[in-house]
């Protein structure tokens, strides 16, 4: 049933579901981050499932139980993001609204919901990790 919400490979512009063993974020390190453009193509797939919720995406369905809650959670996190921007600006001695133009007219932030299902014994002895080392490069990551 989850596959119904898979709209393409991880990172596609529609968001959606990615099953366990597909994504390998350690392979995605690139010139956007502060890791000097390192690439790692040998990392094992991550032991995680995820759904990338994009509230502005209206062409593909979202799971019914997630649609309303996802919009509400996303809206709440945008308030947290705004507060983080103000605190960061204050700490750096900048104007309170310094970061606002970078997110205008509205922040285009995705909500990545990760699920770490129980592992089979063979997965527990693997060198794969739940979520590989990577660089986030689009602003804040709120855990």
């Amino acid at each position: 049933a989850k596959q119904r919400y898979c709209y393409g490979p991880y990172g596609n512009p529609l968001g959606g579901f990615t099953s366990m063993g597909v994504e390998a974020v350690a392979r995605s390190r690139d010139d956007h981050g502060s890791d000097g453009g390192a690439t790692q193509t040998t990392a094992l797939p991550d032991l995680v499932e995820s759904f990338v919720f994009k509230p502005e995406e209206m062409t593909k369905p979202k799971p019914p139980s997630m649609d309303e809650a996802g919009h509400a959670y996303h809206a709440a996190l945008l308030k947290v993001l705004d507060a983080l921007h103000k605190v960061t600006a204050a700490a750096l001695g900048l104007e309170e609204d310094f970061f606002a133009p970078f997110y205008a007219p509205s922040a285009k932030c995705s909500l990545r919901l990760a699920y770490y299902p129980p592992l089979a014994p063979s997965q527990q002895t693997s060198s794969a990790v739940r979520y590989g080392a990577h660089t986030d490069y689009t602003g804040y990551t709120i855990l």
Side-chain angles (χ1 to χ4, degrees), residues 3-113:
Q3 285 302 125
R4 174 177 173 220
Y5 302 103
C6 179
Y7 307 130
Y10 179 79
N12 79 79
L14 302 173
F17 175 73
T18 301
S19 60
M20 187 163 68
V22 172
E23 179 184 10
V25 295
R27 295 182 197 160
S28 66
R29 297 169 62 186
D30 58 27
D31 293 329
H32 296 289
S34 60
D35 59 7
T39 58
Q40 182 180 1
T41 58
T42 59
L44 293 171
D46 300 318
L47 302 175
V48 61
E49 293 180 353
S50 67
F51 187 92
V52 176
F53 185 89
K54 295 183 174 259
E56 71 280 359
E57 170 49 49
M58 305 303 276
T59 65
K60 296 290 185 181
K62 295 173 179 65
S65 62
M66 188 182 293
D67 199 21
E68 185 178 334
H71 278 90
Y73 189 53
H74 187 268
L77 285 176
L78 288 178
K79 291 178 183 178
V80 172
L81 178 63
D82 185 54
L84 285 171
H85 286 159
K86 290 176 181 175
V87 168
T88 302
L92 296 172
L94 302 170
E95 295 292 323
E96 182 179 83
D97 64 349
F98 176 83
F99 293 102
F102 300 101
Y103 292 85
S106 63
K108 299 287 187 227
C109 300
S110 299
L111 178 60
R112 184 182 180 281
L113 305 165

